[in-house]
Structures are given as structure tokens and as C-alpha cells.
Amino acid sequence: MKVDWLIVGAGFTGCTLAERIATQLNQKVLLIDRRNHVGGNAYDYHDQNGILLHKYGPHIFHTNSKKVWDYLSAFTEWRPYHHHVRAVIDGKKVPVPFNLNSLRQLFPPSYAGRMEAALMAEYGFEVKVPILKMREHSNPELRTLADFIYKNVFYGYTLKQWELKPEQLDPLVTGRVPVYISRDDRYFQDTYQAMPRYGYSALFHRMLDNRNIRILLNTTFRELEDLARFNRMVYTGPVDDYFNHIHGHLPYRSLRFDLVTADEESVQEVGTINYPNDYDFTRITEQKHLSGQRLPVSTLVVEYPQRHVPGKTEPYYPIPREENYAQYNLYLKEVEKLNGTVLLAGRLADYKYYNMDQAVAHALKLFEDCVARQETASRHHGR
Ligand SMILES: Cc1cc2nc3c(=O)[nH]c(=O)nc-3n(C[C@H](O)[C@H](O)[C@H](O)COP(=O)(O)OP(=O)(O)OC[C@H]3O[C@@H](n4cnc5c(N)ncnc54)[C@H](O)[C@@H]3O)c2cc1C
């Protein structure tokens, strides 16, 4: 079969581009994935108890982009959902990002009241202040509070998550962790926060329901490379894989998810509880909070960070360190040498953490700026 486009990887990036090319350009797409399902890391399924689970870790949709929201709304109805996260500190479950309610829960009222006043006088209300900035404040009381938050909410979690100390990571990442001077306990403050009413997999199937799109699962790019006939390609797999690791393997952090079924209707008061200072796992998510299902049992997802072993574990998070960016830049130079018939996009190809809305936004932009524009130009030149 000859197609106009081969798209490698059926996550949010690949599916958005497949949908746009099929519906807006009326061109034929072959969408392949090495996994046995579409949806990439956002794939979900029902377990033996009927609970909707996210196979590759809990995925909560949130965005400030009306464009992304409107685009995805064509393929799903939404269930309003505001995610809440607590962290266990000194045996108490306090809201994170650390806010004025966390302060009140952890400290005696007189101290909490004084610090609250100091924070509001210094920064204002409803403001997110990076923890590293607060640690450098001239007021010693604010510095002490910032140190407490840094040590108890952030440091242990970072060690477990990355097996590295915060100072070994990109300060742009670590420095962004906020203290939220607010009483808003929600984890996100985005304009649009909701879960696809029937799950992500249902959303993807609607996106791909088009006669111009053929899907081939359990198939890697290498297996198909010489067999498929296509004019152009979008590759959303790992960039180092594409170039046969000529500059080495890009480092990733991986995760293990242990599923625990509880014979209770509800176990946690909020969707996710973080354990920055105890145990080997970082957090536990009760999926029913995300799906809104009412069932007599519940499934908990316990998250253990682990080293990534290429070929054995899933590459989840690029490790944000200077030397890794430098290694990625070597691959970027290779990408720049490609002629316009191959486009690389998505979190694995860009070696960058994207939220789902960012992956969709990038794919929409790539379609508008590159794919559609080049197609118009080549039609103009009589192709
Ligand atoms: C643990 C975790 C939790 C997250 N939680 C959230 C959240 O709450 N909210 C949020 O907005 N975002 C979240 N994200 C981010 C979200 O997963 C990404 O935004 C999204 O996966 C990006 O889509 P993508 O298409 O770029 O990549 P992916 O979803 O990874 O899709 C890439 C696809 O390419 C396939 N592939 C790779 N190589 C090949 C090859 N050689 N041949 C064939 N197929 C190949 C893979 O199998 C995969 O299906 C989370 C990420 C992780 C790791």
C-alpha cells in the first residue's frame, strides 16, 4: 500500500497529526505503533472490576489553551474534575503545592498567622513564588519557612523521583516548584480542567475514525521502514532511536506502577497523596477520583521511580541535566540535516516533558506551520 504519510507513534502527537492530515488535507495516513494499542502514554482501559485505569500513570487533563480545548472537545464530552494532591508531612496530609492551608495545618495558629501575614505583605495574594527565590529572602523567618518546605515537601521527593539531589538537576526545573500564597487547594489553576467522560482511549478512537487513516499496531518503525511506501513521515518515537544511537542513548527516568485493589468504595480523600519522606514510592493515586466511577471496590496506583534500562523499561521522563541537553543537541543537529520529508515531533522526539495539552498544541502548530503550508505550496507548483 502506498500512503501520503507514515506516522510513527499513536500518542497525542501522532493522533492529532493523523486526524488533521486525514480530515483537512484528505490525504492517506498509515499510523503505526509498537504497542498493541493507540493513545501512547495516555492510554486507558477497564480492569477486572470495571475501574478505568491509566496504564502509564495517572493522566489529568488541564489547559489554558482554548484552541486545544475546542479541538479535543470535538472528540469527547468532558467530566469536570479538579485534581487535589496532599503530601504527608509529619504524619499530616497537607495540600500541595504548599499553600496557606498547608501552613495552617502544620504549624501552631500564632506562627502560621504571622507567616501568612508576612507572605502576603511580601508577595501578595494568589501568587506562586518559586521556592528557591523564597529561600534567598532577606527576612530570616521567611527563609526558615522556605527551608522547611524545601526539605519536607521537595527534597526527599526529588531524591526518590530522580535518584539525584536537586542541585544536580537543571535549576530551571527545581527552581520552579512553587509556594502558593492562596487558599486554593487545587493542584492546577488552568482555565479548563476536566477528564474525557468515557476515557482517553474512547477519545483517540473518535479522532482516528476516518477512512483516510489506517492503523497498524505491534509494529516498530524499523520493521516497516523498508516495506511501507510513503511520501512523507512524522516520527514521534525517541530521537536517539531514529538515528541508531549514534550519539549514545539519551538518559530517561522510568517508573513502576503497582496496582492495589481495595475492598472499599473509597480509600483516599483526594486523587493523589505524595509521600516525600517515607517509603520507596513517591505517590499513590486512587483512579476512581479521576474517572468519577461509583463502584464498591477501588484501585490504587502506587508509583515507584526506577532507572531506565533501554529495551526493558519505559522511557518516561527525560532527565533535566545540562549534559543531557548537550547530548540531545547533537541529535538536534542531525534532525536539522533531514530534508523536509521527515518531521520529528512529540515528547520522545524532542526529548522534552510535555503535558498532553502541550503535545496537542505543538502538533496543531506543526500541522498549520509546516504540513498544511508545504502542501499548499506544492499544489501551487503543480505537484
Ligand atoms: C507518569 C506520567 C504521568 C503524566 N501525567 C500527565 C498528566 O497528568 N497530565 C498531562 O497533561 N500530561 C501528563 N503526562 C504527559 C503525557 O504522557 C504526554 O504529554 C503525552 O504522552 C505526549 O504524547 P506523545 O504523542 O508526544 O508521546 P507518547 O504518548 O509517548 O506517544 C509516543 C508513541 O510512539 C510509540 N513509539 C515510540 N517509538 C516507536 C517506534 N520506533 N515505532 C513505533 N512506535 C513507536 C510509543 O509506543 C508511543 O505510543 C504524564 C507523563 C508521564 C510519564
Side-chain angles (χ1 to χ4, degrees):
M1 183 184 72
K2 169 113 196 253
V3 290
D4 300 301
W5 290 84
L6 172 67
I7 299 186
V8 179
F12 263 112
T13 305
C15 289
T16 301
L17 281 155
E19 188 280 333
R20 288 287 87 185
I21 290 168
T23 60
Q24 305 303 300
L25 303 179
N26 193 23
Q27 293 184 351
K28 300 248 175 286
V29 175
L30 176 61
L31 176 64
I32 69 163
D33 203 293
R34 65 181 170 82
R35 292 172 172 165
N36 63 1
H37 57 75
V38 297
N41 277 359
Y43 167 74
D44 55 14
Y45 66 99
H46 290 89
D47 72 1
Q48 71 280 7
N49 296 309
I51 295 169
L52 187 63
L53 296 184
H54 298 168
K55 179 159 183 186
Y56 305 96
H59 277 63
I60 295 112
F61 187 79
H62 57 102
T63 188
N64 283 318
S65 165
K66 180 169 178 349
K67 185 173 178 173
V68 168
W69 175 258
D70 288 346
Y71 173 70
L72 292 178
S73 298
F75 311 109
T76 187
E77 292 163 36
W78 299 97
R79 189 182 80 82
Y81 174 69
H82 293 277
H83 194 50
H84 286 79
V85 179
R86 301 270 159 85
V88 178
I89 297 164
D90 293 346
K92 299 193 181 90
K93 292 180 185 139
V94 308
V96 283
F98 195 96
N99 64 20
L100 298 179
N101 295 334
S102 325
L103 186 68
R104 291 264 172 199
Q105 269 175 254
L106 280 171
F107 294 104
S110 59
Y111 174 80
R114 198 169 71 245
M115 294 317 294
E116 194 174 301
L119 286 168
M120 290 204 283
E122 185 56 36
Y123 301 107
F125 190 56
E126 303 286 338
V127 179
K128 285 183 179 157
V129 184
I131 184 73
L132 292 189
K133 195 170 157 208
M134 196 180 285
R135 288 184 87 200
E136 286 162 5
H137 200 278
S138 55
N139 177 341
E141 272 205 318
L142 281 183
R143 277 206 310 273
T144 307
L145 176 64
D147 285 348
F148 174 89
I149 299 167
Y150 180 84
K151 191 166 148 265
N152 287 280
V153 185
F154 178 59
Y155 188 82
Y157 196 93
T158 304
L159 268 188
K160 276 197 265 184
Q161 178 77 358
W162 300 104
E163 229 179 301
L164 292 168
K165 294 183 180 158
E167 54 271 26
Q168 293 173 294
L169 293 162
D170 180 353
L172 279 177
V173 175
T174 49
R176 269 204 302 262
V177 173
V179 175
Y180 191 21
I181 304 172
S182 167
R183 298 207 179 281
D184 180 353
D185 280 348
R186 295 171 307 161
Y187 194 64
F188 304 111
Q189 277 69 43
D190 298 43
T191 310
Y192 306 98
Q193 303 189 43
M195 298 297 287
R197 186 167 291 279
Y198 307 106
Y200 290 104
S201 292
L203 179 159
F204 285 113
H205 284 112
R206 279 182 66 182
M207 279 179 105
L208 301 175
D209 182 16
N210 186 292
R211 63 185 172 79
N212 282 335
I213 302 175
R214 272 192 62 177
I215 301 167
L216 199 57
L217 300 174
N218 302 303
T219 307
T220 66
F221 170 58
R222 292 282 168 238
E223 285 166 333
L224 205 81
E225 193 177 13
D226 298 326
L227 299 174
R229 294 195 300 134
F230 52 92
N231 292 331
R232 297 183 69 193
M233 173 165 83
V234 179
Y235 178 88
T236 76
V239 64
D240 50 344
D241 236 14
Y242 183 81
F243 292 105
N244 289 316
H245 310 284
I246 49 170
H247 302 299
H249 283 266
L250 286 169
Y252 273 92
R253 191 73 173 148
S254 192
L255 296 165
R256 190 184 92 224
F257 302 104
D258 283 5
L259 302 180
V260 180
T261 302
D263 270 333
E264 290 168 69
E265 203 180 320
S266 169
V267 181
Q268 297 186 168
E269 61 271 43
V270 293
T272 299
I273 298 187
N274 288 358
Y275 293 83
N277 307 309
D278 316 296
Y279 310 111
D280 298 335
F281 50 84
T282 44
R283 56 180 183 174
I284 301 181
T285 299
E286 186 170 15
Q287 286 274 166
K288 275 169 63 186
H289 281 277
L290 279 55
S291 67
Q293 291 168 292
R294 300 189 136 218
L295 290 161
V297 292
S298 197
T299 302
L300 302 170
V301 183
V302 189
E303 215 165 305
Y304 292 86
Q306 61 179 11
R307 286 188 189 166
H308 173 54
V309 184
K312 291 212 169 119
T313 57
E314 288 290 340
Y316 280 118
Y317 298 112
I319 301 176
R321 302 188 75 180
E322 209 46 63
E323 65 234 55
N324 302 344
Y325 298 148
Q327 191 183 352
Y328 167 69
N329 282 337
L330 298 176
Y331 283 109
L332 196 56
K333 292 221 167 66
E334 305 295 335
V335 173
E336 282 158 8
K337 287 186 219 158
L338 295 171
N339 62 24
T341 57
V342 181
L343 301 171
L344 271 75
R347 65 169 196 108
L348 293 162
D350 293 348
Y351 192 62
K352 201 163 181 187
Y353 180 83
Y354 291 138
N355 279 321
M356 293 178 281
D357 66 322
Q358 293 172 306
V360 173
H362 282 129
L364 290 176
K365 190 160 169 28
L366 187 68
F367 176 77
E368 286 157 16
D369 291 359
C370 207
V371 176
R373 195 166 291 173
Q374 283 184 11
E375 287 307 317
T376 314
S378 56
R379 257 184 235 141
H380 237 72
H381 290 94
R383 201 198 70 189

